[in-house]
Amino acid sequence: MIVTATKVTPAKTTSNKENLFGKSAKEIRQRLQAIGEPAYREKQIRDWIYVKRVLDFAGMTNLSKALRAKLADAFVIEPPATYHKHQSKDGSVKYVFHLEAGGEVEAVYMPMTKGVTMCLSSQVGCAQACSFCMTAQMGFIRNLSPGEIVGQAFAIAHDQQLEDPFNIVMMGMGEPLLNLNNLMKAIDLFTDDLGFGLSPRRITVSTSGHVRNLLKLGQYPKLPRIAVSLNASTDEQRNQLMPVNLRWNIAELIDACKQLPIPPRERVTLEYVLIKDLNDTPADAKRLVRLVANLRCKINLIPFNETEGLSYRQPSLQVIEAFQAILNRSQIRNTVRWSKGRDIGAACGQLATPITKRGADLRLKSGAPSRKAGSAG
């Protein structure tokens, strides 16, 4: 089902003004000092943007009128604002964001039994060329800025009027670890008390297996949860599915996972997309058990989401249950993860733009509910 609504198109305000949305605390202090304002104003401004969710300097009422005018002359506060959205029958919503800097990305709002999860994108397109993923068919276009990453969550939280903290999975379009610097800046904003105030445990970063940057992420002080897209029990299979395996094979990837400083009660998640007649046999399950024997992990078994343009097919329920039974007998933690949003092309592996059927064209406006008043974060 496609949501319909009125199109709202306010006058373009950016001109040559610098956008403060998505800037770090240090970057905002530098911009303020450049116009002769003290550094402490940075905390006031970030509190208004991310805690009170005010996007107009005129609404920052604890600043003088003269200062508000000065800030408005020099800067704007603009998250990625314009999007189409598509409503699934399972309650999830796909958002297609139209970015001022060019390109479109998709993100997904997913109501779950334990709260809300947002699946966000890190790049326009993807260079990984995984043969089972629609995003890969786009090729790589560009990295998203920290503001474009954070702005997806900001817009969704506003549109859905969220009142509780939410979870973030960086599993949308793109390879997050190939946009590592911007990803870490976005996580800083998500976890800062004057940002979204989220715990790093509410954030999961998924990777196709970029070992070098995975180990770099392991040194990041706000380490999120890690999910690794494995999808095969042999290098021959994985080479066919994921060209990244030609650079870092399964053994190197598993070894890197073992080196991550995962907290004692946490585990690395291994994503395993089950594809009919390719990686779904009992022999595959037994090899997978051996691969993870000495790794503190849990496995998400994801039945392949069939998509027009890709020849792969989903295994039968009987085959999926037989595969899972082998993991269970070996006491490997696992779950079968049935993707949400399949009817609107929002499931795992289905995100790609452009799309032909579009829903409401909406624009985020200032005056979003304050986090202090009970909104997301």
Side-chain angles (χ1 to χ4, degrees), residues 194-267:
L194 291 178
F196 284 76
L198 299 178
S199 164
R201 295 181 68 250
R202 286 188 173 273
I203 302 171
T204 300
V205 173
S206 176
T207 177
S208 62
H210 259 264
V211 166
R212 183 185 64 243
N213 284 2
L214 179 60
L215 294 174
K216 285 183 180 179
L217 181 62
Q219 300 170 14
Y220 176 55
K222 297 181 180 180
L223 183 67
R225 287 177 166 169
I226 302 297
V228 173
S229 190
L230 182 61
N231 306 321
S233 65
T234 70
D235 283 322
E236 181 181 11
Q237 288 174 344
R238 201 162 189 266
N239 290 346
Q240 176 183 342
L241 292 170
M242 307 179 70
V244 68
N245 199 69
L246 297 169
R247 185 168 185 182
W248 292 291
N249 62 27
I250 292 176
E252 291 172 297
L253 180 56
I254 296 296
D255 182 63
C257 290
K258 292 177 181 177
Q259 295 180 51
L260 293 172
I262 303 297
R265 299 180 68 177
E266 297 287 327
R267 294 171 181 266

Side-chain angles (χ1 to χ4, degrees), residues 157-173:
H158 174 242
D159 185 54
Q160 296 293 334
Q161 298 289 292
L162 297 183
E163 296 184 354
D164 297 310
F166 49 84
N167 300 307
I168 291 170
V169 292
M170 297 301 307
M171 297 181 182
M173 295 168 59

Side-chain angles (χ1 to χ4, degrees), residues 18-25 27-28 31 49-50 78-80 99 101 105 120-123 142-155 168 170 176 179-191 195-196 220:
E18 186 164 15
N19 187 4
L20 294 186
F21 189 89
K23 293 285 191 292
S24 68
E27 289 169 332
I28 292 178
R31 272 51 170 192
I49 297 173
Y50 299 108
E78 292 184 350
L99 306 174
V105 293
L120 307 183
S121 293
S122 57
Q123 297 178 317
R142 68 176 180 89
N143 286 327
L144 297 186
S145 69
E148 289 172 327
I149 296 172
V150 172
Q152 296 168 64
F154 189 97
I168 291 170
M170 297 301 307
N179 191 13
L180 185 58
N181 289 337
N182 287 342
L183 172 69
M184 291 189 293
K185 289 178 180 179
I187 294 174
D188 285 341
L189 282 168
F190 283 132
T191 57
F196 284 76
Y220 176 55

Side-chain angles (χ1 to χ4, degrees), residues 50-353:
Y50 299 108
V51 179
K52 298 184 177 72
R53 308 288 167 84
V54 172
L55 302 178
D56 188 342
F57 291 112
M60 300 181 180
T61 52
N62 66 344
L63 305 179
S64 70
K65 287 185 178 181
L67 177 57
R68 282 179 269 168
K70 184 177 182 181
L71 291 171
D73 283 342
F75 308 113
V76 293
I77 305 167
E78 292 184 350
T82 306
Y83 55 84
H84 289 86
K85 67 178 185 178
H86 301 256
Q87 177 78 51
S88 169
K89 61 187 178 183
D90 63 23
S92 57
V93 182
K94 178 166 71 172
Y95 290 78
V96 186
F97 290 94
H98 314 289
L99 306 174
E100 292 287 346
E104 297 179 341
V105 293
E106 298 185 348
V108 185
Y109 162 85
M110 297 175 288
M112 317 288 280
T113 55
K114 295 184 179 180
V116 167
T117 294
M118 298 182 193
C119 178
L120 307 183
S121 293
S122 57
Q123 297 178 317
V124 182
C126 185
Q128 296 308 96
C130 298
S131 62
F132 58 92
C133 178
M134 284 302 296
T135 310
Q137 312 311 307
M138 297 173 60
F140 174 72
I141 299 171
R142 68 176 180 89
N143 286 327
L144 297 186
S145 69
E148 289 172 327
I149 296 172
V150 172
Q152 296 168 64
F154 189 97
I156 294 171
H158 174 242
D159 185 54
Q160 296 293 334
Q161 298 289 292
L162 297 183
E163 296 184 354
D164 297 310
F166 49 84
N167 300 307
I168 291 170
V169 292
M170 297 301 307
M171 297 181 182
M173 295 168 59
E175 165 55 60
L177 297 192
L178 287 182
N179 191 13
L180 185 58
N181 289 337
N182 287 342
L183 172 69
M184 291 189 293
K185 289 178 180 179
I187 294 174
D188 285 341
L189 282 168
F190 283 132
T191 57
D192 196 292
D193 287 340
L194 291 178
F196 284 76
L198 299 178
S199 164
R201 295 181 68 250
R202 286 188 173 273
I203 302 171
T204 300
V205 173
S206 176
T207 177
S208 62
H210 259 264
V211 166
R212 183 185 64 243
N213 284 2
L214 179 60
L215 294 174
K216 285 183 180 179
L217 181 62
Q219 300 170 14
Y220 176 55
K222 297 181 180 180
L223 183 67
R225 287 177 166 169
I226 302 297
V228 173
S229 190
L230 182 61
N231 306 321
S233 65
T234 70
D235 283 322
E236 181 181 11
Q237 288 174 344
R238 201 162 189 266
N239 290 346
Q240 176 183 342
L241 292 170
M242 307 179 70
V244 68
N245 199 69
L246 297 169
R247 185 168 185 182
W248 292 291
N249 62 27
I250 292 176
E252 291 172 297
L253 180 56
I254 296 296
D255 182 63
C257 290
K258 292 177 181 177
Q259 295 180 51
L260 293 172
I262 303 297
R265 299 180 68 177
E266 297 287 327
R267 294 171 181 266
V268 174
T269 297
L270 299 181
E271 308 277 356
Y272 194 100
V273 176
L274 285 163
I275 301 174
K276 182 179 179 180
D277 299 331
L278 196 154
N279 64 355
D280 62 345
T281 68
D284 284 301
K286 292 172 184 177
R287 283 193 294 265
L288 182 58
V289 168
R290 291 193 293 271
L291 283 173
V292 304
N294 298 311
L295 176 65
R296 185 152 43 94
C297 69
K298 60 181 179 181
I299 297 175
N300 278 346
L301 299 174
I302 307 171
F304 176 71
N305 296 302
E306 296 183 8
T307 306
E308 184 178 353
L310 298 180
S311 61
Y312 297 123
R313 293 293 175 260
Q314 184 180 109
S316 68
L317 182 59
Q318 182 180 11
V319 168
I320 293 168
E321 290 176 342
F323 194 103
Q324 184 181 32
I326 293 171
L327 301 187
N328 289 340
R329 286 197 294 271
S330 299
Q331 297 184 322
I332 303 296
R333 290 195 185 186
N334 72 89
T335 186
V336 176
R337 196 183 86 198
W338 296 96
S339 299
K340 285 181 169 287
R342 293 177 63 181
D343 58 318
I344 55 170
C348 179
Q350 291 185 330
L351 299 186
T353 58

